[in-house]
Amino acid sequence: MRTVMRLGKMLRWFLVASLSFSAFAATTTPTPTPSSNTDTIELAQANVTNNDPYEHFNRAMFQFNEVVDKLVMRPVATLYIKIVPKPLSKGLSNFYNNIDTIPTVANDLLQANFYQGTSDAWRLAINSSIGVLGFFDFASDMGLEPNKEDFGLTLAQWGYRDSHYLVLPFLGPGTTRDQIGWPINYLFLTIYPYIYPVAERNQLYLGSLVVKRAELLRYQSVLAQASLDDYTFIRDAYMQHRAYQLERNAELNDPYLESNKTEKNSQKVD
């Protein structure tokens, strides 16, 4: 833990300008995870339609977040990329991804996705030990692919699937369900509330925002070229990716689903 605290101190001068809570989310452009299941992708695209009844409010919040991001997070993230060596930057990214695996495992269990939970737990154990607190991602080399779960996905697994798109100041894009789930995920399932003193906790958390915002800088050119309306592009990308995650998690609950699909497809061919 002392190593983690020293890391927070190293990042302190990056974070002086980081007065916003998580403005980096204003330009988050998640890309749908590749899937061999065409029906899942089509369903994800269909779910985007007519799911933004708060568009006027959402656009106002989107513009607010854009301004905060432009003034605070983007310059800090750009400076971070310029002065932090790539090997260290990769290590820090792995380190924070490893921290995020803790709530992922907890949500796996809450969703009763025990097979995925076992895989994610092994990933956490391996990277936290021989991976030196996660700075080295040996688990991926061993075939344990990264996964990310949150309480919004858990609520969906419990039945709260249909939810409208909602953008909040500082928190950025989400759905009503996901925005409700965020504080529960942070307060009860992550390690941050249990880190003391509070100043060190805040430095560590703000450090994660800087690292994640730096990772998102590579999508800036994609965003500029993909659409004349940044708001629509980000909304559709988020909702498609979220719909994919919901369908994927539903399938993880049924270990026989894929074999049943294969059998049905073979019968059609016959």
Side-chain angles (χ1 to χ4, degrees):
M1 186 59 69
R2 289 185 177 180
T3 302
V4 174
M5 295 304 105
R6 292 193 186 101
L7 175 62
K9 291 179 180 179
M10 290 171 57
L11 292 171
R12 178 178 295 151
W13 68 283
F14 283 118
L15 307 175
V16 172
S18 302
L19 300 178
S20 72
F21 184 61
S22 59
F24 79 99
T27 53
T28 301
T29 56
T31 52
T33 305
S35 171
S36 59
N37 189 342
T38 304
D39 294 338
T40 297
I41 298 299
E42 291 177 351
L43 177 61
Q45 294 172 342
N47 283 348
V48 174
T49 307
N50 299 324
N51 212 19
D52 190 8
Y54 318 125
E55 183 172 352
H56 182 73
F57 171 83
N58 287 339
R59 284 185 178 274
M61 294 301 100
F62 176 81
Q63 292 300 325
F64 171 81
N65 287 338
E66 282 258 287
V67 171
V68 176
D69 180 73
K70 182 178 181 180
L71 294 177
V72 181
M73 293 305 295
R74 198 182 306 176
V76 175
T78 301
L79 178 62
Y80 170 87
I81 289 177
K82 287 182 178 179
I83 69 175
V84 176
K86 286 186 177 180
L88 178 57
S89 176
K90 178 62 175 176
L92 289 171
S93 178
N94 290 340
F95 168 76
Y96 282 112
N97 287 336
N98 191 56
I99 290 179
D100 289 341
T101 306
I102 297 173
T104 290
V105 173
N107 281 289
D108 284 333
L109 298 178
L110 290 173
Q111 295 170 24
N113 285 334
F114 299 117
Y115 178 83
Q116 184 64 51
T118 301
S119 175
D120 292 334
W122 272 112
R123 178 178 175 81
L124 177 63
I126 291 170
N127 283 347
S128 297
S129 55
I130 64 175
V132 191
L133 297 179
F135 277 89
F136 302 97
D137 185 8
F138 290 119
S140 291
D141 297 335
M142 300 171 65
L144 297 170
E145 296 299 325
N147 179 44
K148 188 171 184 179
E149 303 289 338
D150 56 63
F151 198 71
L153 292 173
T154 297
L155 290 174
Q157 197 76 336
W158 290 348
Y160 185 5
R161 292 180 62 86
D162 295 331
S163 187
H164 298 310
Y165 186 66
L166 178 63
V167 182
L168 293 181
F170 305 117
L171 291 182
T175 64
T176 305
R177 178 197 61 242
D178 299 335
Q179 304 291 19
I180 292 172
W182 185 90
I184 298 174
N185 199 75
Y186 175 82
L187 292 173
F188 299 105
L189 302 180
T190 72
I191 66 169
Y192 293 108
Y194 306 100
I195 297 176
Y196 292 95
V198 174
E200 302 288 359
R201 173 202 306 168
N202 292 339
Q203 289 171 11
L204 185 64
Y205 183 70
L206 287 172
S208 74
L209 301 186
V210 173
V211 171
K212 291 174 183 178
R213 185 62 185 91
E215 292 174 352
L216 290 172
L217 282 176
R218 58 179 173 163
Y219 293 112
Q220 293 299 136
S221 59
V222 175
L223 180 62
Q225 299 174 11
S227 175
L228 296 176
D229 185 358
D230 293 351
Y231 170 83
T232 301
F233 178 82
I234 292 175
R235 178 197 63 193
D236 292 355
Y238 179 89
M239 295 298 284
Q240 288 183 28
H241 179 68
R242 209 58 170 166
Y244 165 80
Q245 289 179 305
L246 297 184
E247 295 307 311
R248 178 206 62 185
N249 285 358
E251 292 180 4
L252 287 174
N253 260 349
D254 186 356
Y256 302 104
L257 184 61
E258 201 60 41
S259 60
N260 289 340
K261 286 182 179 179
T262 303
E263 182 178 348
K264 288 180 180 179
N265 291 334
S266 62
Q267 290 175 354
K268 288 181 181 180
V269 173
D270 295 340

